[in-house]
Amino acid sequence: MEESSYSNLSTSHLLGSVPAVTNEEKKASYEVPEANMQIFPPNNASGGGRGRGYQTLEAPTEEFEQQPPNNWSGVFRISSYTQYFNVDTDVVIYRLISSFYPVTGDFFSKIDANPDLYGLIWITTTLVFMLASFGNWATYLMQKHSDGTTSWSFDVGYINAAAVGIYGYAVVVPMAFNFLLQYLGSNASLVRFWCMWGYSFSIFIPTALLLLIPVEILRWIIILLAGSASSCFVALNLKSYIEGANDLKMMVVAAFLLQMALAIFIKVWFFP
């Protein structure tokens, strides 16, 4: 009796049926993350393709971070100019020698691959100190030549005048030409202009030494020859740079006159 009553009981709630239900639930719970994980890498790609599949999700961010800054924000970043100081001594000497031959007019083709700002800073700084020191020395020689009894004192104002005149000209004039050429529709490069104008000052370094000669007429001849050579160097190279634009010829004439004005300023102010 009792055995037959026990056999008629429902066994769905007994402990024996629980592991089967539990295993099915666990199996179902593990199948969900497996299905989710399979949607990330592409299923039809090889091993190398999977790597590229993962990287494509981050590629837009990397490309955005590596984009170069715009023109104006890059001007005020020191890191933007480090590449322009990566030049060897042989390259600088070669460009210095080229600046003493103004008739070729091919300076931009020589610096096209790697324009530098090292020459601009080094040449202008050397010229500033040479004008300040040799200018004072020249006044001393002229004063001793005319009247040996008069006392002489060092004029510190020569340093300020040389720094403002040379640094200001070397920075502002190329920027002005770059702005005007771009405004007129020509393709201009500010770094190349800075490089070219910087090397155009190199001829004034030995000229400052020659201007120590206490003969006024000879000084004028020296400074006019040096100014003409520097002016031709700037004008001819600028002409080759904007070749084909007939309406920009006045820019070449303006560059020539400005360079001559710089030479006369050096003579009148530092070697009177």
Side-chain angles (χ1 to χ4, degrees), residues 97-120:
I97 296 174
S98 300
S99 65
F100 284 87
Y101 296 93
V103 295
T104 57
D106 59 347
F107 189 77
F108 282 113
S109 63
K110 296 177 181 178
I111 67 172
D112 186 61
N114 184 25
D116 70 278
L117 297 179
Y118 178 82
L120 171 69

Side-chain angles (χ1 to χ4, degrees), residues 10 113 180:
S10 176
L180 289 175

Side-chain angles (χ1 to χ4, degrees), residues 30 37 40 48 64 71 79 83 98 102 111 129-130 141 157 194-195 204 210 234 256:
Y30 287 123
M37 290 177 64
F40 288 96
F64 176 78
N71 293 335
S79 59
Q83 58 178 324
S98 300
I111 67 172
F129 282 99
M130 291 191 71
L141 294 176
W194 272 336
C195 181
F204 293 119
L210 295 175
V234 172
F256 182 91

Side-chain angles (χ1 to χ4, degrees), residues 135-136 138-139 142 158 211 216 219-220 266-272:
N136 277 280
T139 56
M142 292 295 291
Y158 277 22
L211 290 176
E216 187 65 13
R219 284 180 172 181
W220 275 108
I266 291 174
K267 167 64 182 69
V268 173
W269 191 273
F270 299 99
F271 302 94

Side-chain angles (χ1 to χ4, degrees), residues 10-67:
S10 176
T11 59
S12 59
H13 65 281
L14 297 181
L15 185 61
S17 61
V18 173
V21 175
T22 305
N23 290 338
E24 290 179 358
E25 292 179 353
K26 288 183 179 181
K27 183 177 180 181
S29 62
Y30 287 123
E31 288 177 355
V32 173
E34 288 178 1
N36 291 336
M37 290 177 64
Q38 291 177 358
I39 66 174
F40 288 96
N43 296 328
N44 57 349
S46 60
R50 290 183 180 179
R52 288 191 293 268
Y54 282 114
Q55 291 176 0
T56 53
L57 298 175
E58 300 179 357
T61 305
E62 293 176 358
E63 291 178 359
F64 176 78
E65 295 175 354
Q66 293 176 1
Q67 285 182 354

